Amino acid sequence: MKISTAATKFLNEKYHSAGDPAPAGVEELVRVLGAQLGAVEETMPFGDRFKGAVIVKVTSVADHPDADRLHICKVDDGGKTPEVERDSEGLVQIVCGAPNVHEGMLAVWLPPGATVPSTYGTEEPFVLGARPLRGVVSNGMMASPKELTLGDSHAGILEVIPDEDEHIEPGVPFDEAYHLQGDVIIDIENKMFTHRPDCFGWLGVAREIEGIQGRAYKSPDWYVTNPEFPGIEAEELPLEVVNEIPQLVPRFLAVAVRGVELKPSPVWLQVDLARAGLRPINNVVDFTNFFMLLTGQPIHAYDYDKVKALSGGDKAVLTVRFPKPGEKITLLNGKEIEPRAEAMMVAVGDQLACVGGAMGGSNTEVDENTKNIIIEAANWDMYSMRKTSMTHGIFTDAVTRFNKGQSPLQNAAVIARIVDEVRRHANGKVASRLIDVDNLPAGVLGRGSVHPPVTVTTKFINDRLGWELSASDMATLLINVEFKVTTEGDTLTVTAPFWRTDIEIPEDVVEEVGRLYGYDHLPLHLPRRDLTPAAKNPKLELKSQVRDALADAGANEVLTYTFVHGNLLDKVGQSRDLAFQLSNALSPDLQYYRMSLAPSLLERVHANIKSGHDHFALFEINKTHNLLHADDDEGLPTEFDFLGLVVTASDKAASGQGAAFYEARTYLEFLASRFGVTIEYQPMESEIDFPVMKPYDHTRSAVVSIKGGKQLGVIGEFKPSVLKALKLPKHTAGFELDYLALDAPAEARAHYNALPRFPKVEQDICLKVPASATYASVYAFVAEHLQTNRPDKTYHTLIPIDIYQRDDDPEHKQITLRVSIASFERTLTDDEVSKLLGDVAEAAAQTHHAERI
């Protein structure tokens, strides 16, 4: 948001009553703005570029003897410019090629020694001198709007036509005539005003500047909710407005004006638009832009005759509605769009004429042939506006203001003032009644405030700000920015002015008082607080413990995006149709909400192998969702907290490592031991049709459960198709499980146990079992038998050594397990251990048809 120090003080006195915005200087104003209103992005000198420019009167124009398009002009500067050559009458000679130069006009003269404003501040500024043009000396030049940085027009020189209330004489410096001396543009960050739509207008910013400096501000007399509006002054132009979406367009005002004369705007208006970085176009469009900048209320103008012709009747009809399927509109910038189905549109007959609040259509635009116009001042739903703007890439100044939520109570004041300016500067005549389609809540117009009054006590405000302001102090701060405040003891009843849309609850008044008084007045002492530390979050604690356990085991944690490319889902065998898809993804690679962690982890394996990491494990703790239609009570995707791990090794590094499954199982068993949890494995009889299971080869995978408890997830090796699609080594396996289920009571967690002081005895037991017997069942049987029958007060471990199947005996396999056992009280003998293993073998023979080898 750009504000001008000089314009705030002088030029706009005809529109508001602000005093000098920077009585202590621009630097101090910037400091105060940054502390109490919004961050200042930069300050830019604006008035300095016009130094030396003088307003002159052209007294004569003669053709150049040696050039068809040049003229020899004599200008009167009142004799005020020093060190310039003059004739006997004190006039200055200038050679000018502008086609619009004529005797009696006022123009802007850049005398010798002046810098052309459009080159001011560049690496090579152009300084004028007295030099001959085709043999005739020209003392400087008369400037065009482009050379003065007041627009893009270079077709002719700027003609100064004073307003009726302006007294401009030849010889007056241009920067003095238009209050540009020392003018500085202050650019305030728009994001600071997101909740303050009134501050997207100069009136709002000027009011805030006064308020934060402790001075009272008074809005101009015309800025009221119910202004006087002229009656019909010319032959009537029939006009009708139909609003089919009142829930989105709460107020729509329109009026027809006959006989407008489109021409350049007054110079003061062109200067003000240039201050804000806008390009002057003509007197009608410029006034709509100016009052948008002044009040924050965008205005749109239609060509009445075009609207009437498209309406197909004896009157012009504007219809506010949604677009019909297949309807398109060509915008003023030449872009054709098919509006989204819920876009707020203005239609004329069977054609769309405007994207409401964003940009008009070319079929009803005001052009050089326009004689009659319709002026519209409406309000558009901010949320619908944002969606339409983002969908179609329309980012106009109007959109910037409407998507912040402009007050519907200022429309009448703005349209009345614009109509007045069109009557004065374009000779227009009001040709219809003012149409006001009002769908505001009952009582809003009557009370003149968007929200009802707010009652709050001084104690409520002071308790939150740490101050001791009185009711009178607070009332003064609020009245300075035109709030209505009544006090009764320590209670304030605060009514926000009609342009404020953000004052609804007592906390809003607290914010207002705090900002106006200044947060730099906050007391510098520590607040009284209970120093009892906050309770730890059990879920975060568990997550941290899982992370630490796997890191201790040598795995590396990664954090990947929750959204993935559809091709990745295809590669791991998961259906895109079951995943939530973003309609406005930031990147094509981030379209689908992943259903498991495995795809993201597997995608990182190949890149790490290529980088030279030939043996590693990756894990991630993150969110997933399962199934598109698994919604919670609010219709949102059901999310799960999962742990995924992938262990892999290149072919060279995997030599002698055994199956990848068992390496993944080692990590899982280590993790489970940290939490005192016993894991059970259930082989997959067939492929399970569930997204988490899809990447895994069911013949080399198992379902993981807590012993005697809930199912955790899956562990196993991956399908050959997945290995091929993602270029993975054969030695790749992993697991994915609900890690929250690992949370066991503290007494069950792993804790320190002293190792036996007596030597351990190790023996192997090799059991020949039918090929159909699973390793898991054999291991579980042996482990349970040892646990039950081992001597008292002993400690033992059981680890697998190998699983072997002879080529000449396909119906059997041999499973070798190593038992290590030690006593806490004495030294065990080999015979004791041998007898224990013998008992195990006998029992296994009966239950598993095992034969000890």
Side-chain angles (χ1 to χ4, degrees):
M1 182 68 191
K2 293 181 172 64
I3 63 170
S4 162
T5 56
T8 304
K9 181 180 180 182
F10 299 109
L11 182 56
N12 291 325
E13 286 179 354
K14 62 177 65 182
Y15 290 110
H16 61 75
S17 59
D20 184 351
V26 174
E27 291 184 2
E28 176 61 17
L29 176 61
V30 168
R31 186 196 68 79
V32 172
L33 288 175
Q36 294 181 246
L37 185 59
V40 174
E41 294 191 328
E42 63 176 331
T43 58
M44 299 163 285
F46 184 74
D48 293 349
R49 69 188 67 185
F50 301 104
K51 285 182 178 179
V54 180
I55 293 178
V56 297
K57 181 177 182 179
V58 179
T59 59
S60 66
V61 178
D63 292 338
H64 193 292
D66 294 327
D68 294 338
R69 298 184 180 181
L70 296 180
H71 309 284
I72 302 173
C73 305
K74 294 294 181 71
V75 300
D76 177 14
D77 69 336
K80 297 180 180 179
T81 306
E83 300 180 4
V84 66
E85 183 179 347
R86 303 176 182 275
D87 64 11
S88 58
E89 298 179 357
L91 303 177
V92 179
Q93 177 175 284
I94 302 172
V95 177
C96 178
N100 67 327
V101 65
H102 60 87
E103 185 177 327
M105 73 180 292
L106 292 179
V108 181
W109 173 44
L110 301 176
T115 300
V116 177
S118 61
T119 68
Y120 179 84
T122 63
E123 293 183 0
E124 298 182 2
F126 187 71
V127 181
L128 294 167
R131 63 189 184 93
L133 293 176
R134 293 290 183 93
V136 179
V137 174
S138 178
N139 293 282
M141 63 182 288
M142 287 185 282
S144 68
K146 184 173 183 179
E147 289 157 342
L148 290 170
T149 67
L150 300 182
D152 295 335
S153 175
H154 195 54
I157 59 175
L158 177 70
E159 183 170 5
V160 178
I161 303 177
D163 265 3
E164 57 189 34
D165 57 351
E166 291 181 326
H167 182 66
I168 297 178
E169 298 179 347
V172 175
F174 182 76
D175 58 0
E176 179 182 326
Y178 292 102
H179 313 294
L180 290 161
Q181 294 170 322
D183 191 15
V184 175
I185 304 298
I186 300 176
D187 192 359
I188 306 176
E189 183 183 28
N190 281 351
K191 292 179 181 178
M192 305 301 295
F193 300 146
T194 298
H195 69 302
R196 291 291 305 277
D198 59 301
C199 284
F200 279 82
W202 289 336
L203 281 178
V205 176
R207 186 181 298 109
E208 290 299 308
I209 290 175
E210 295 292 283
I212 62 180
Q213 295 181 99
R215 300 184 293 180
Y217 182 91
K218 184 180 183 302
S219 292
D221 295 338
W222 57 267
Y223 194 56
V224 292
T225 56
N226 189 26
E228 293 184 6
F229 198 85
I232 297 177
E233 304 169 316
E235 182 183 350
E236 185 175 2
L237 296 172
L239 175 64
E240 181 182 354
V241 174
V242 178
N243 186 358
E244 297 180 0
I245 47 175
Q247 71 279 11
L248 295 178
V249 186
R251 199 175 189 194
F252 193 105
L253 286 83
V255 65
V257 180
R258 179 183 286 277
V260 297
E261 298 177 13
L262 299 183
K263 55 186 177 182
S265 300
V267 174
W268 69 263
L269 178 55
Q270 296 187 48
V271 169
D272 247 17
L273 293 177
R275 281 176 163 125
L278 295 186
R279 175 174 56 90
I281 298 175
N282 58 52
N283 49 355
V284 172
V285 175
D286 291 353
F287 270 111
T288 63
N289 284 334
F290 174 76
F291 281 98
M292 176 187 69
L293 293 172
L294 190 66
T295 66
Q297 172 64 45
I299 301 293
H300 185 60
Y302 304 83
D303 185 306
Y304 175 89
D305 298 301
K306 294 177 182 178
V307 172
K308 180 181 177 182
L310 292 172
S311 298
D314 58 355
K315 60 183 175 181
V317 181
L318 299 176
T319 302
V320 184
R321 61 173 173 83
F322 293 134
K324 298 175 182 177
E327 278 190 310
K328 296 182 179 181
I329 180 174
T330 300
L331 302 175
L332 290 175
N333 60 7
K335 180 181 179 181
E336 183 183 68
I337 66 169
E338 182 176 338
R340 70 185 189 94
E342 297 82 13
M344 302 173 292
M345 307 295 295
V346 178
V348 177
D350 294 330
Q351 294 188 30
L352 299 178
C354 179
V355 179
M359 186 178 291
S362 60
N363 55 353
T364 57
E365 70 175 313
V366 174
D367 56 32
E368 65 275 7
N369 299 315
T370 297
K371 299 298 181 186
N372 307 311
I373 63 172
I374 301 170
I375 300 176
E376 163 218 304
N379 284 94
W380 310 88
D381 181 79
M382 59 189 290
Y383 303 108
S384 178
M385 173 65 64
R386 290 176 187 172
K387 292 179 182 178
T388 300
S389 170
M390 293 298 293
T391 299
H392 301 294
I394 303 175
F395 304 104
T396 60
D397 289 317
V399 168
T400 298
R401 287 157 174 81
F402 276 130
N403 69 19
K404 302 298 183 292
Q406 288 297 322
S407 169
L409 299 181
Q410 68 175 350
N411 300 33
V414 177
I415 197 171
R417 190 65 190 186
I418 284 186
V419 167
D420 183 59
E421 297 292 2
V422 170
R423 294 164 69 204
R424 292 176 56 203
H425 293 91
N427 300 320
K429 304 292 182 183
V430 177
S432 78
R433 66 180 179 87
L434 177 64
I435 297 176
D436 185 355
V437 181
D438 167 26
N439 295 285
L440 297 173
V444 170
L445 277 178
R447 67 170 175 258
S449 181
V450 174
H451 301 292
V454 176
T455 300
V456 61
T457 65
T458 56
K459 183 178 186 304
F460 184 88
I461 296 175
N462 285 327
D463 284 351
R464 283 152 182 77
L465 295 175
W467 295 333
E468 296 181 357
L469 297 178
S470 67
S472 176
D473 294 333
M474 296 177 184
T476 299
L477 291 170
L478 295 170
I479 291 171
N480 281 348
V481 290
E482 304 187 272
F483 281 73
K484 294 179 182 177
V485 184
T486 59
T487 60
E488 185 175 342
D490 289 335
T491 301
L492 293 82
T493 301
V494 180
T495 302
F498 65 84
W499 53 82
R500 292 295 294 270
T501 61
D502 59 322
I503 307 299
E504 299 184 64
I505 58 177
E507 285 77 6
D508 294 329
V509 179
V510 174
E511 180 185 354
E512 198 72 13
V513 171
R515 189 187 71 259
L516 292 171
Y517 189 62
Y519 291 118
D520 54 339
H521 290 99
L522 288 173
L524 300 178
H525 60 76
L526 292 175
R528 295 177 180 175
R529 297 273 184 174
D530 182 1
L531 297 180
T532 303
K536 293 183 178 180
N537 185 311
K539 186 174 178 180
L540 293 179
E541 283 294 297
L542 177 62
K543 184 176 181 179
S544 179
Q545 292 164 4
V546 170
R547 177 183 291 115
D548 292 343
L550 290 176
D552 290 346
N556 304 278
E557 185 177 13
V558 297
L559 183 64
T560 61
Y561 287 113
T562 307
F563 294 91
V564 298
H565 197 291
N567 290 342
L568 181 58
L569 299 181
D570 297 339
K571 290 177 180 178
V572 299
Q574 295 177 345
S575 173
R576 302 187 189 194
D577 296 336
L578 297 178
F580 287 88
Q581 182 178 9
L582 293 177
S583 59
N584 60 340
L586 295 176
S587 165
D589 292 336
L590 305 174
Q591 290 183 343
Y592 291 89
Y593 188 1
R594 65 185 175 191
M595 296 174 284
S596 67
L597 300 176
S600 300
L601 291 171
L602 293 174
E603 189 180 31
R604 269 74 186 167
V605 170
H606 179 67
N608 280 285
I609 292 289
K610 285 186 64 177
S611 298
H613 305 286
D614 56 0
H615 190 187
F616 57 88
L618 302 175
F619 75 94
E620 180 173 9
I621 306 171
N622 217 324
K623 300 280 189 181
T624 67
H625 86 84
N626 285 334
L627 303 181
L628 180 61
H629 303 295
D631 299 338
D632 63 12
D633 295 338
E634 298 180 0
L636 300 174
T638 302
E639 292 186 322
F640 301 94
D641 293 281
F642 263 46
L643 162 67
L645 179 140
V646 170
V647 60
T648 187
S650 64
D651 294 341
K652 181 179 179 181
S655 178
Q657 291 288 331
F661 174 91
Y662 295 106
E663 188 172 2
R665 176 171 165 166
T666 301
Y667 281 98
L668 180 55
E669 294 284 358
F670 181 83
L671 177 64
S673 68
R674 282 289 186 94
F675 291 93
V677 171
T678 301
I679 299 295
E680 289 184 337
Y681 304 91
Q682 181 65 38
M684 294 187 189
E685 300 298 334
S686 61
E687 184 172 352
I688 300 176
D689 189 18
F690 203 64
V692 174
M693 307 291 190
K694 284 294 185 179
Y696 292 89
D697 183 349
H698 76 277
T699 65
R700 303 181 69 83
S701 301
V703 176
V704 181
S705 303
I706 294 178
K707 185 175 183 180
K710 67 173 292 186
Q711 190 178 101
L712 288 180
V714 61
I715 184 172
E717 299 181 9
F718 299 98
K719 295 177 180 176
S721 60
V722 174
L723 300 180
K724 180 179 179 181
L726 294 173
K727 301 179 181 179
L728 305 177
K730 292 180 181 179
H731 187 91
T732 303
F735 59 79
E736 187 161 348
L737 49 87
D738 176 9
Y739 72 91
L740 296 179
L742 294 173
D743 194 15
E747 58 270 17
R749 297 289 184 92
H751 54 276
Y752 173 76
N753 287 318
L755 294 175
R757 294 184 295 109
F758 297 94
K760 65 182 178 180
V761 178
E762 284 188 347
Q763 289 191 22
D764 292 349
I765 179 172
C766 180
L767 298 175
K768 180 180 179 181
V769 298
S772 59
T774 63
Y775 161 79
S777 64
V778 173
Y779 180 91
F781 175 81
V782 174
E784 184 177 357
H785 193 90
L786 288 174
Q787 181 68 26
T788 305
N789 297 286
R790 64 183 171 84
D792 293 338
K793 298 182 180 180
T794 57
Y795 167 82
H796 79 281
T797 61
L798 179 67
I799 61 173
I801 299 301
D802 63 38
I803 301 174
Y804 174 65
Q805 188 168 29
R806 295 166 56 94
D807 292 338
D808 58 355
D809 187 9
E811 294 183 359
H812 294 87
K813 60 185 175 184
Q814 298 172 11
I815 298 175
T816 302
L817 302 172
R818 176 164 295 166
V819 178
S820 176
I821 187 169
S823 173
F824 290 95
E825 297 180 332
R826 60 189 177 83
T827 300
L828 297 176
T829 65
D830 288 338
D831 290 342
E832 288 180 282
V833 177
S834 296
K835 183 178 184 307
L836 176 63
L837 296 184
D839 293 341
V840 170
E842 288 182 10
Q846 297 178 10
T847 59
H848 287 76
H849 304 289
E851 177 186 351
R852 186 174 184 181
I853 303 298

